[in-house]
Amino acid sequence: MTDAVVAELEQYVLSIPEVTYCLSDVGLISSNKAKLTVQLVGKRERSRSVWQITDATRSFAKNNLSQAAVRISESKSSVAGISTGGGEEHSSLLIYLLGSDMDSLIKASYQMQKNLTKVTGIKDIRSNYRVGVPEFKLTVDRDRMKFFNTSVQDV
């Protein structure tokens, strides 16, 4: 996520009357991630709920920041007035698919995501699966290594 995208989102968030402050961290874990931490005024001091405010922010991001994937989550502390965006640590629902056949798991994951889009109230559905580097298992023939006068560390 570029600094310009973060700045635009931050500017929008700070224009929300219920927001008291917004803190942005750019370059988390990798250079293309950012996180905005937003604090709202107390529940009694606002006319909209946390969910209405996050829905409005989602709409803004969808309509104005199409070049970035923006995920907004209401944290447990949102009820007390703090809403934090992004990351699994704030997800209220995590579904784990387990199995030995990776191709079947990937298919099941896509199917589950498709089904969840039909459920009212569920937002920002995503998978944390990433295509990885192929794994190789190496079995060392120690007798042959002795013949070539080498060690496991050399391999």
Side-chain angles (χ1 to χ4, degrees):
M1 189 177 291
T2 67
D3 290 345
V5 172
V6 174
E8 188 173 350
L9 183 58
E10 191 175 56
Q11 184 177 11
Y12 169 77
V13 167
L14 289 171
S15 74
I16 299 170
E18 296 90 349
V19 171
T20 58
Y21 81 81
C22 173
L23 172 68
S24 57
D25 294 321
V26 180
L28 296 172
I29 302 170
S30 65
S31 60
N32 64 344
K33 290 189 180 185
K35 173 181 163 182
L36 268 64
T37 302
V38 179
Q39 181 172 350
L40 304 176
V41 296
K43 188 176 181 180
R44 292 183 179 103
E45 299 173 47
R46 59 180 194 266
S47 59
R48 296 189 298 171
S49 71
V50 170
W51 297 275
Q52 290 170 319
I53 295 166
T54 55
D55 283 345
T57 306
R58 277 187 192 93
S59 293
F60 171 82
K62 182 179 179 184
N63 295 328
N64 298 286
L65 305 172
S66 60
Q67 70 274 31
V70 177
R71 304 286 185 238
I72 301 169
S73 300
E74 300 85 7
S75 69
K76 290 179 183 178
S77 58
S78 293
V79 179
I82 299 172
S83 180
T84 307
E88 284 85 28
E89 69 272 11
H90 300 294
S91 297
S92 55
L93 175 65
L94 293 173
I95 300 172
Y96 295 95
L97 300 176
L98 307 170
S100 58
D101 181 7
M102 187 56 97
D103 290 334
S104 296
L105 285 174
I106 294 167
K107 277 183 173 175
S109 170
Y110 287 134
Q111 185 61 46
M112 180 167 283
Q113 289 176 73
K114 183 179 175 183
N115 291 342
L116 288 172
T117 61
K118 299 172 188 172
V119 178
T120 305
I122 295 182
K123 301 169 187 145
D124 292 334
I125 300 164
R126 62 190 173 279
S127 170
N128 66 353
Y129 168 74
R130 302 291 175 262
V131 176
V133 178
E135 186 176 308
F136 296 99
K137 184 176 181 180
L138 178 67
T139 305
V140 178
D141 183 342
R142 294 183 187 271
D143 290 332
R144 198 147 195 199
M145 289 178 61
K146 285 180 191 175
F147 176 78
F148 288 107
N149 197 26
T150 190
S151 68
V152 174
Q153 289 85 2
D154 295 332
V155 174

